[in-house]
Amino acid sequence: MAGQQKNAQDQDLNQLRKVRREKLAELQERGEDPFLITKYDVTHHSQEIKDHFEELENKEVSVAGRIMQKRVMGKASFCNIQDLEGNIQSYVARDNIGEDHYKDFKKFDIGDIVGIRGTVFKTKTGEISIHAESVQLLSKSLQVLPEKFHGLTDTDTRYRQRYVDLIMNREVKDTFIKRSKILSSIRKYLDSQGFLEVETPMLVANAGGAAARPFETHFNALDEDFKLRISLELYLKRLIVGGMERVYEIGRVFRNEGLDTRHNPEFTLMELYQAYTDYNGMMDLTENLYRHVAQDVLGTTKIVYNGVEMDLGKPFERITMVDAVKKYAGVDWNEVKTLKQARELAKEHHVEYEERHKKGDILSLFFEEFAEEHLIQPTFVMDHPIEISPLTKKKPGNPDYVERFEFFMNGWEMANAYSELNDPIDQRERFKAQEELLAQGDEEANTTDEDFLNALEIGMPPTGGIGFGIDRMCMLLTNSAAIRDVLLFPTMKAQGAAKNEAHNAAQTAGKAAESVAEAAPAAAETAPVKVDIDFSNVEVEPLFEDMVDFETFSKSDFRAVKVKECEAVPKSKKLLKFVLDDGSGEDRVILSGIHDYYEPEELVGKTLIAIVNLPPRKMMGIDSCGMIISATHLVEGREGLNVLIVDDKIPAGAKLY
């Protein structure tokens, strides 16, 4: 029944698209092709007219935008158009615009872009409107916008078709306008402090400056392999060496890692470096910058995120990492003298570590496990172990720690800052240690950058440096739940081989592209992608020969669960963390090693099957309370896996028998 209903809806949409193309063809035959129009004189925007009604009443204005509503009533009609600033109503009468133009207006569709010239007035109901004297079609919409009452709500479609999202959801446009203002405010503040904005390479031979796995590419002209930058640091420090004492860059960086609510493989980073200061100077700058931006963009230093108020007006807390672990985990790291002691404490507190981890690494793991989530109000966490800070100056008198801080809000790391290492001999030793980690299999370790070392040997002054996650800052200041809500075009998994082939053909085939484009509107949007699966070379695990008694099996509690949240587990390449609605009223957390097969965003909102009465099991320090059910098979010795995804009509908590 549901399938028949969807087919009927698809046929209706195809018919609507067909009618729109026929209207366009009719206009073109009459020599009135809207796509030949090159400009339109806009004098005002919608909100501007509403804000200055008293000055503009009975004055002529010219606006342009997209028709979002239309009511045709014989000799006169109303339409509502949407522009950059909002919406405004227009009264369109046959006697004012002429009979022929009125006939054309009646054929306009929701989504068409029009220009309207007329006088400003108020209707009897008090709505500020434009009495149209002329209406001109500027662009014909050949697609159908989402149904007006429910709008565009599917998150996957919203992110893929951001242009439709911006049209249908005013709050989305407001978020991105606010993001633009945040970036502008940051620049204004730093410029006022004497910083110079610069640009450095994105394609690099050596991707350093952070612990991250880079994307790799090949430069054909030079026949050399390059990487996309993972950080801005090493080039900006070269500029400090060159005498540019205060520099910053806001730019895209690229890290070959998973997708979740706070991570996207390309994101916006700001790094700045200031000669003749240290990490204390960076703390003062961060505190002042955040206050300035919040006041400038929001008009207040108090922000609310997910119902929690954070006050940027108060002095930010400052605490060492050792004191934070003591406060929230009850472990005094000053008493930990050996790696053996650190490992024993980790086992005692169920903190997962790897064989290569040293004492300082385990301290960092304790901090992540026990302290991070408590750092809601603005907090500087200072003095990190040297093992996790290869580019930072050691603390005088305590060489196991470095002059570094991370800035936290809402339990998130928002910025990372150093008293920068400027000793080239020490830096070479740190690079050497990173090379050893790389050899041991750490794909995020740095490699030696000889040109950077040469720059340090020329001489770099004492310097403070910091990196800000701009996207997370925008999330907090716009109360956005996920990083994708503040990225106009977030990274998305391809929708299927058939669509990719169509796109490739369109890019390479000239006339063939035109035929693909003509066929696409009806087919690409509505037809399911058919995938032929060859089962001839698929192996499945043999059936169990041992019998399980019915009583044992019946004790397994299989339930339908709804995926509320899904994210990659930090420091794990395989695990996904699910937050599930199991019908009990309390969230259930289950970890599953399926990241090789699924990205987190694919599974949010889906209905899965899980066993919910297994005892909790520690995985990467997180209690996993149950098991997500998947089906596995082998193809030529490689495992394939499919999570069992069932009909969304099945309610959370439904028991399987």
Side-chain angles (χ1 to χ4, degrees), residues 368-384:
E368 290 172 5
E369 181 74 26
F370 295 105
E372 274 190 13
E373 62 182 329
H374 299 286
L375 306 178
I376 304 302
Q377 296 301 319
T379 304
F380 294 118
V381 177
M382 309 178 296
D383 301 350
H384 292 48

Side-chain angles (χ1 to χ4, degrees), residues 15 17-27 142:
Q15 182 59 30
R17 295 188 187 107
K18 182 172 179 287
V19 169
R20 292 188 177 210
R21 286 176 178 261
E22 288 170 353
K23 289 179 181 179
L24 174 63
E26 182 186 334
L27 288 167
L142 300 178

Side-chain angles (χ1 to χ4, degrees), residues 577-594:
K577 175 186 172 185
F578 291 85
V579 178
L580 303 162
D581 175 5
D582 61 7
S584 68
E586 295 185 8
D587 289 346
R588 175 179 295 273
V589 173
I590 296 181
L591 274 63
S592 183
I594 60 172

Side-chain angles (χ1 to χ4, degrees), residues 557 580 588-592 609-617 619 623-629:
D557 194 0
L580 303 162
R588 175 179 295 273
V589 173
I590 296 181
L591 274 63
S592 183
I609 302 300
I611 302 176
V612 296
N613 63 333
L614 296 172
R617 179 186 171 201
M619 300 172 74
D623 277 338
S624 179
C625 302
M627 179 184 290
I628 302 287
I629 303 300

Side-chain angles (χ1 to χ4, degrees), residues 154-157 160 484 492-493 559-566 576 578-583 588 594 598-610 628-629 642-653:
D154 176 68
T155 53
D156 187 75
T157 305
R160 291 185 191 280
R484 292 184 165 194
M492 302 290 288
K493 190 166 186 173
R559 299 279 178 161
V561 291
K562 306 279 185 183
V563 182
K564 296 174 69 174
E565 298 173 27
C566 184
L576 293 181
F578 291 85
V579 178
L580 303 162
D581 175 5
D582 61 7
R588 175 179 295 273
I594 60 172
Y598 292 91
E599 291 300 335
E601 75 278 0
E602 293 178 75
L603 298 171
V604 173
K606 296 290 191 288
T607 304
L608 313 182
I609 302 300
I628 302 287
I629 303 300
N642 291 281
V643 169
L644 296 192
I645 301 175
V646 298
D647 196 316
D648 285 339
K649 291 177 184 173
I650 301 175

